[in-house]
Amino acid sequence: MTTPVLGVDIGNTTCSVALYRQGQVDVVTNAQGNRSTPSVVGFTDVEPLLGEAAKGQLSRNPQNTVVDVLLLIGRGYEAPEVQAALKRWRFRVTAGKDGDAQIEVQLKGEAKVYSPQRLLSLLLAHLRAEAESYAGVAVKDVVIAMPPHFNEAQRNALKEAAQMGVRCRVLQTR
């Protein structure tokens, strides 16, 4: 039996995951039975939260719940899209030393700074773990959908997040 291939489609609000195995595509349901998982990363005094758990704390802990990670990836702090979104976000976004957007949160009572790539990598690792639990086998090959409108910096940042989060070989296609 061949190992399944995991396909991930990341959006600003939700992610969808599917497995390709034995010639069939099977959409993965998460632990809550949903066919999509919120693209949300949250932090508490105890642990990081991902997906449904992070979305569940959004109303009571908005300053430590990050949404729209995909919007931030590969963009500088001064990018018009980032500046426009700052008005609606309750979490803190600042400029890093090279002008990149970075997210500041509290985790276990300590201030932490994360790149959008690192936060996306946490979400990707979570999605892979859910898919492996669903399939009952380890997933070795992962395909991540690249939004067609991404520029080169965004593409590279998404590849970096993928390599951190799912520890996969990234195949570049044009």
Side-chain angles (χ1 to χ4, degrees):
M1 184 172 116
T2 61
T3 60
V5 175
L6 176 67
V8 180
D9 183 14
I10 306 162
N12 273 328
T13 57
T14 62
C15 303
S16 297
V17 179
L19 289 168
Y20 178 78
R21 55 185 168 176
Q22 299 174 359
Q24 300 290 319
V25 176
D26 190 14
V27 176
V28 174
T29 56
N30 62 22
Q32 291 73 28
N34 298 321
R35 293 169 60 99
S36 65
T37 298
S39 300
V40 181
V41 179
F43 299 88
T44 70
D45 288 337
V46 179
E47 63 188 339
L49 301 173
L50 301 155
E52 299 279 355
K55 185 179 178 184
Q57 78 150 7
L58 183 58
S59 64
R60 68 181 179 279
N61 191 9
Q63 68 278 7
N64 288 313
T65 307
V66 183
V67 298
D68 293 337
V69 176
L70 197 62
L71 186 143
L72 285 165
I73 200 132
R75 288 197 166 109
Y77 177 77
E78 296 296 331
E81 300 87 353
V82 173
Q83 289 300 305
L86 286 173
K87 297 175 180 113
R88 71 175 187 274
W89 290 334
R90 300 281 305 275
F91 57 93
R92 187 166 182 206
V93 179
T94 60
K97 61 183 173 195
D98 34 346
D100 291 342
Q102 60 184 20
I103 299 99
E104 295 182 11
V105 295
Q106 293 285 317
L107 173 62
K108 299 180 182 179
E110 293 183 35
K112 299 282 186 183
V113 177
Y114 291 97
S115 69
Q117 293 91 306
R118 182 66 186 131
L119 293 182
L120 188 57
S121 77
L122 294 173
L123 187 59
L124 287 167
H126 172 72
L127 295 169
R128 181 179 184 173
E130 283 197 335
E132 288 177 335
S133 175
Y134 179 88
V137 296
V139 173
K140 295 180 181 168
D141 296 314
V142 180
V143 175
I144 299 175
M146 182 76 67
H149 63 276
F150 267 21
N151 63 32
E152 198 62 30
Q154 291 169 301
R155 289 175 188 274
N156 290 335
L158 183 56
K159 289 176 192 175
E160 181 183 337
Q163 289 169 331
M164 283 190 284
V166 293
R167 294 179 196 92
C168 64
R169 185 172 46 116
V170 176
L171 302 175
Q172 185 170 356
T173 59
R174 292 251 172 213

